[in-house]
């Protein structure tokens, strides 16, 4: 403990010092960063700080932290191993979280998602993190099939605490698992891990007002602890400099007016120390940016309170307790790499329904700008491409080529991206039974090329569903796009089902609809699509917009919609061909996000899309 306290003492925020330097499987990723000229200490820090995702994420981190005064300090991060619930129990816990927050405000339990603590926080040097994740992998492999299921939980309440406690005999089993991890971590990564010695439990509420106890207790009793639940051993890390700070999220951009002020970027997080507040005037705060590592003053009304765990980094998430009857894979996920080992299951698991939601491919107007139409169409409306990344031909439109202004096609690279996804689905032995698509041409073309890659072109028809169009508030002008009718799309050799009758026709779409209307529309059409497909096929693919990955999956999991600001932050991070997957949990009608059967696709400056980080939010 003394060594830890010394480290905390070293990391008091430094205002004056400013240096301006010109997976986890690190392996080749680290080598690439070193070949680019980054010092090893910085490259390792970038990989660890981004969860070892990929070279692009590490480079982005390094460039944004170029002025971080701690960039070259050899400070280790703190790590912790949690057991996290998923499935129906997680849905109920998330509902409890939301209702308790609405009824009684935020309490200390809200700072961290639902979990069972398996060990105390411990430190690990950046160069040892790969060995640490290997220790977790080894431990989980050793314990596969040895943990009884389900995990029995019992509600406990007191005047200051509410939680679900693990039955004692089962708790001892989990403690043995944690002890084995500690032994492996010491041997492989040379770290000291202290397994959790207190009673194992899921905290529901603590540090709440006494008057709130009856309400919280009543809400807690609605949580069905017998609900199906798969448990994942998840390794997290946090920056030790900010372990005792309050976490804030930036809501609005701010450009500094003075040298001692901090630039604010929406979506970034700010760490605020009570010690530093003595120098801040009324209406201003002093904090440090997660995105840049820089510190300074910032206007208080530009930030909101956030949860401590919002800034934590995931280094490995491994399924160790499978209670759902339909689970037929032992899944290991570390640093965007999925390993699956088949285990025995009932025949019914093979017929579970799956929903894939995919964003369209690279669009012409984003790559070439709004003036691409002027460049490519002559006075007679004839199309001539001016760049190899432009398609060689385009479908004719009854309204003329100006209709492409609001309904652009995808690029050649966009077609290639889509075909790669289809080929990956084919390699994973995935068959798509139904394809539903936004009426936007870019989405229909993307679906067509996915089917080409799957070798299902012509066999599976695309059902054009206007209800899958994006939030109409984002459409410029006072009218919606003029989309190409299905009959004309079919005439242009696109595999469109001309007999399909949409659940939400174009006439029902309104210009500048509210956020609530868009979310309700997306939820409604997704439910009707799944209901329509049930019993006729197991796998449904929706090809639509970046917003669809969130809007079409969140509420079918039993979760409430996010507020519009958080929703926009999620959507901004979803790249072309961002892809997520949901599975129905038996016959319950409840769905959960799962690992897609394909790897993520990164192209150019696009960030790698990870559905876990983007769409799972407690």
């Amino acid at each position: 403990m003394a060594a830890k306290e010394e480290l905390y003492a070293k990391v008091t925020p430094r205002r004056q010092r400013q240096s301006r330097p010109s997976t986890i499987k690190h392996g080749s990723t680290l080598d690439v960063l070193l070949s680019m000229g980054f010092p090893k200490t910085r490259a390792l820090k970038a990989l660890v700080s981004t969860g070892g995702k990929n070279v692009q994420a590490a480079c982005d981190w390094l460039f944004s932290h170029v002025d971080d005064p701690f960039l070259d300090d050899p400070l280790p991060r703190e790590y912790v191993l949690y057991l996290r619930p998923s499935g129906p129990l997680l849905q109920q816990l998330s509902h409890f979280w939301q209702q308790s927050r609405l009824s009684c405000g935020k309490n200390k339990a809200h700072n961290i998602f639902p979990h069972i603590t398996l060990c105390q926080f411990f430190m690990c040097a950046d160069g040892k993190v790969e060995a640490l994740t290997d220790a977790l992998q080894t431990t989980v492999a050793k314990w596969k099939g040895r943990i009884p299921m389900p995990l029995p939980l019992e509600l406990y309440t007191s005047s200051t605490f509410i939680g679900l406690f693990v039955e004692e005999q089962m708790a001892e089993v989990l403690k043995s698992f944690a002890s084995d991890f500690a032994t492996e971590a010491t041997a492989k990564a040379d770290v000291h891990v202290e397994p959790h010695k207190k009673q194992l439990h899921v905290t529901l509420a603590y540090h709440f007002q006494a008057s709130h106890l009856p309400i919280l207790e009543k809400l807690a009793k609605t949580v069905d602890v017998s609900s199906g639940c798969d448990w994942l051993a998840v390794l997290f890390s946090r920056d030790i400099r900010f372990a005792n700070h309050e976490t804030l999220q930036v809501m609005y951009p701010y450009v500094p007016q003075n040298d001692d002020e901090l630039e604010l970027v929406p979506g970034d997080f700010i760490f605020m120390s009570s010690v530093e507040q003595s120098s801040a005037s009324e209406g201003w705060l002093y904090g440090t940016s997660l995105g840049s590592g820089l510190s300074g003053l910032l206007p208080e009304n530009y930030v909101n309170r956030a949860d401590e765990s919002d800034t934590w980094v995931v280094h490995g998430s491994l399924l160790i307790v499978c209670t759902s009857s339909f689970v037929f894979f032992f899944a290991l996920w570390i640093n965007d790499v999925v390993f699956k080992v088949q285990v025995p299951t009932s025949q019914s698991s093979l017929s579970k329904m799956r929903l894939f939601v995919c964003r369209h491919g690279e669009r012409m107007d984003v790559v070439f700008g709004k003036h691409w139409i002027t460049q490519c169409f002559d006075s007679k409306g004839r199309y001539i491409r001016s760049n190899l990344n432009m398609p060689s031909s385009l479908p004719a439109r009854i309204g003329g080529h100006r209709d492409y202004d609001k309904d652009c096609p995808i690029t050649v690279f966009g077609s290639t991206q889509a075909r790669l996804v289809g080929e990956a689905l084919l390699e994973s032995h995935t068959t798509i039974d139904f394809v539903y698509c936004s009426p936007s041409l870019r989405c229909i073309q993307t679906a067509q090329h996915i089917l080409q890659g799957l070798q299902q072109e012509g066999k599976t028809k695309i059902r054009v569903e206007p209800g899958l169009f994006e939030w109409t508030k984002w459409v410029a002008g006072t009218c919606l796009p003029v989309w190409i009718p299905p009959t004309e799309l079919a005439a242009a050799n696109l595999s469109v089902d001309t007999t399909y009758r949409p659940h939400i026709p174009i006439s029902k779409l309104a210009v500048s609809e509210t956020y609530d209307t868009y979310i309700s529309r997306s939820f409604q059409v997704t439910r009707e699509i799944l209901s329509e497909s049930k019993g006729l096929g197991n796998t449904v693919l929706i090809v639509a917009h970046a917003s669809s990955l969130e809007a079409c999956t969140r509420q079918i999991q039993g979760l409430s919609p996010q507020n519009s600001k958080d929703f926009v932050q999620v959507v901004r991070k979803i790249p072309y061909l961002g892809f997520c997957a949901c599975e129905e949990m038996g016959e319950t009608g409840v769905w959960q996000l799962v690992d897609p059967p394909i790897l993520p696709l990164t192209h150019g400056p696009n960030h790698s899309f990870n559905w876990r980080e983007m769409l799972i939010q407690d």
Side-chain angles (χ1 to χ4, degrees):
M1 289 299 294
K4 184 174 180 178
E5 290 173 0
E6 289 176 8
L7 273 171
Y8 276 116
K10 283 179 59 181
V11 298
T12 302
R14 298 173 227 180
R15 301 193 191 178
Q16 302 301 323
R17 177 182 170 191
Q18 294 288 325
S19 61
R20 191 175 293 270
S22 0
T23 61
I24 284 175
K25 184 75 175 175
H26 294 325
S28 60
T29 306
L30 176 60
D31 293 337
V32 172
L33 292 173
L34 295 179
S35 69
M36 295 171 69
F38 293 112
K40 186 174 183 179
T41 54
R42 291 189 180 184
L44 283 170
K45 181 171 287 191
L47 286 171
V48 171
S49 298
T50 56
K53 293 176 187 173
N54 51 45
V55 172
Q56 184 66 53
C59 286
D60 289 346
W61 188 94
L62 285 164
F63 292 140
S64 64
H65 283 76
V66 68
D67 292 325
D68 184 346
F70 284 90
L71 184 59
D72 295 310
D73 286 8
L75 290 171
R77 294 176 68 87
E78 278 193 320
Y79 293 79
V80 69
L81 182 64
Y82 284 164
L83 208 58
R84 290 198 63 182
S86 65
L89 179 59
L90 176 59
Q91 313 307 326
Q92 295 203 42
L93 292 173
S94 298
H95 181 71
F96 170 83
W97 241 246
Q98 182 188 38
Q99 294 302 311
S100 62
R101 221 165 185 168
L102 289 172
S103 303
C104 306
K106 185 175 179 179
N107 63 66
K108 284 288 187 180
H110 289 120
N111 276 327
I112 304 176
F113 41 75
H115 69 278
I116 295 173
T117 302
L118 293 181
C119 72
Q120 304 303 314
F121 275 94
F122 62 93
M123 291 178 288
C124 180
D126 293 347
K128 297 285 189 178
V129 176
E130 180 179 353
L132 182 63
T133 57
D134 183 57
L136 179 59
Q137 179 180 346
T138 300
T139 307
V140 169
K142 175 181 176 182
W143 278 83
K144 184 179 66 174
R146 291 174 54 190
I147 299 179
M149 40 186 195
L151 206 61
L153 299 171
E154 183 176 355
L155 178 64
Y156 169 83
T157 63
S158 70
S159 60
T160 58
F161 177 89
I162 301 176
L164 302 173
F165 279 78
V166 182
E167 184 271 330
E168 186 175 351
Q169 187 174 359
M170 176 61 79
E172 291 305 315
V173 175
L174 294 178
K175 288 179 180 179
S176 296
F177 167 81
S179 179
D180 279 1
F181 168 69
T183 301
E184 288 288 341
T186 300
K188 294 179 181 291
D190 192 27
V191 296
H192 176 67
V193 180
E194 188 68 33
H196 196 64
K197 290 186 170 58
K198 298 180 180 179
Q199 289 180 287
L200 301 187
H201 62 275
V202 178
T203 301
L204 296 183
Y206 75 103
H207 279 205
F208 49 82
Q209 297 179 25
S211 61
H212 292 159
L213 177 60
I215 301 173
L216 293 172
E217 189 173 14
K218 182 179 179 180
L219 288 171
K221 288 180 179 179
T222 65
V223 177
D224 182 5
V225 296
S226 64
S227 299
C229 182
D230 300 331
W231 294 86
L232 299 98
V234 189
L235 185 65
F236 293 95
S237 76
R238 67 182 183 186
D239 193 321
I240 66 172
R241 293 177 292 166
F242 310 116
N244 299 311
H245 288 46
E246 186 163 6
T247 306
L248 308 170
Q249 186 169 22
V250 177
M251 305 307 297
Y252 310 105
Y254 178 75
V255 178
Q257 306 298 311
N258 299 292
D259 292 341
D260 60 350
E261 294 175 3
L262 182 65
E263 181 179 4
L264 299 182
V265 178
D268 191 12
F269 290 92
I270 303 295
F271 300 109
M272 184 181 72
S273 168
S274 57
V275 176
E276 291 294 326
Q277 292 315 107
S278 58
S279 62
S281 58
E282 185 176 355
W284 290 79
L285 306 172
Y286 187 87
T288 302
S289 162
L290 171 68
S292 67
L294 299 177
S295 302
L297 293 167
L298 58 134
E300 185 174 9
N301 58 348
Y302 278 56
V303 294
N304 279 345
R305 307 289 176 183
D307 298 337
E308 176 188 344
S309 57
D310 287 345
T311 62
W312 292 2
V313 175
V314 177
H315 297 274
S317 181
L318 293 78
L319 186 62
I320 64 170
V321 180
C322 306
T323 58
S324 304
S325 61
F326 61 83
V327 173
F328 64 103
F329 280 105
F330 174 79
L332 166 62
W333 175 72
I334 288 187
N335 309 310
D336 292 343
V337 180
V338 181
F339 306 90
K340 294 185 178 179
V341 181
Q342 193 166 6
V343 296
T345 185
S346 63
Q347 185 64 29
S348 63
S349 69
L350 299 177
S351 61
K352 65 182 180 297
M353 283 198 72
R354 293 187 298 178
L355 170 67
F356 299 147
V357 186
C358 182
R359 186 191 178 191
H360 59 76
E362 181 182 82
R363 49 190 290 177
M364 285 275 281
D365 55 354
V366 171
V367 175
F368 298 105
K370 288 291 184 181
H371 299 296
W372 75 270
I373 297 176
T374 304
Q375 297 171 359
C376 296
F377 286 91
D378 62 20
S379 59
K380 296 182 179 180
R382 292 175 298 192
Y383 171 74
I384 303 173
R385 68 175 179 176
S386 59
N387 187 283
L388 288 176
N389 194 25
M390 293 178 172
S392 56
S393 63
L394 290 177
R397 308 187 76 133
I398 290 179
H401 63 274
R402 280 296 169 187
D403 284 347
Y404 278 117
D405 185 44
K406 288 188 176 181
D407 187 30
C408 72
I410 58 176
T411 63
V412 174
F413 283 155
S415 302
T416 303
Q417 290 170 327
R419 195 161 52 254
L420 284 172
V421 166
E423 291 171 354
L425 288 169
L426 181 65
E427 290 174 5
S428 68
H429 305 291
T430 298
T431 299
I432 301 297
D433 297 302
F434 297 101
V435 178
Y436 292 82
C437 197
S438 161
S440 294
L441 179 60
R442 57 188 180 275
C443 300
I444 296 165
Q445 290 178 318
T446 299
Q448 176 87 3
H449 287 285
I450 290 176
L451 289 173
Q452 285 180 0
L454 259 169
Q455 298 181 13
Q456 287 184 225
E457 185 181 16
K459 302 176 185 177
T460 304
K461 296 290 186 178
I462 300 168
R463 296 179 170 182
V464 180
E465 175 54 64
L468 292 172
F469 184 58
E470 65 185 349
W471 188 5
T472 61
K473 178 184 175 181
W474 291 337
V475 177
T478 58
C479 59
L480 294 175
V482 177
W483 292 296
I484 302 176
T487 51
E488 293 181 32
L489 291 169
N493 296 319
L494 291 165
S495 300
V496 172
D497 184 352
T498 57
T499 64
Y500 174 70
R501 297 186 64 182
H503 294 283
I504 300 179
I506 293 174
S507 61
K508 296 295 184 181
L509 297 181
V511 179
S512 298
E513 66 188 339
T514 65
Y515 172 67
D516 289 342
T517 300
Y518 167 65
I519 291 298
S520 297
R521 164 166 65 86
S522 299
F523 181 36
Q524 174 193 338
V525 75
T526 303
R527 281 189 306 177
E528 292 178 0
I529 284 172
L530 294 174
S531 176
E532 179 179 60
S533 307
K534 196 172 183 67
L536 301 175
N538 296 334
T539 306
V540 176
L541 169 64
I542 288 176
V543 181
H545 307 271
S547 55
S548 306
L549 275 75
E550 171 76 8
C552 294
T553 64
R554 186 172 180 84
Q555 286 179 274
I556 65 170
Q557 299 175 72
L559 300 175
S560 299
Q562 299 192 76
N563 62 57
S564 59
K565 291 178 181 176
D566 290 342
F567 171 79
V568 170
Q569 291 303 316
V570 170
V571 173
R572 288 176 57 191
K573 298 175 184 176
I574 296 176
Y576 294 127
L577 271 300
F579 192 102
C580 69
C582 276
E583 286 183 357
E584 186 181 19
M585 306 186 66
E587 296 297 323
T588 64
V590 178
W591 293 67
Q592 69 171 354
L593 285 164
V594 297
D595 283 312
I598 62 174
L599 295 173
L601 172 66
T602 303
H603 172 258
N606 290 352
H607 293 284
S608 178
F609 175 64
N610 185 302
W611 67 268
R612 289 182 184 272
E613 296 180 2
M614 301 282 187
L615 303 178
I616 290 189
Q617 297 168 12
D618 301 295

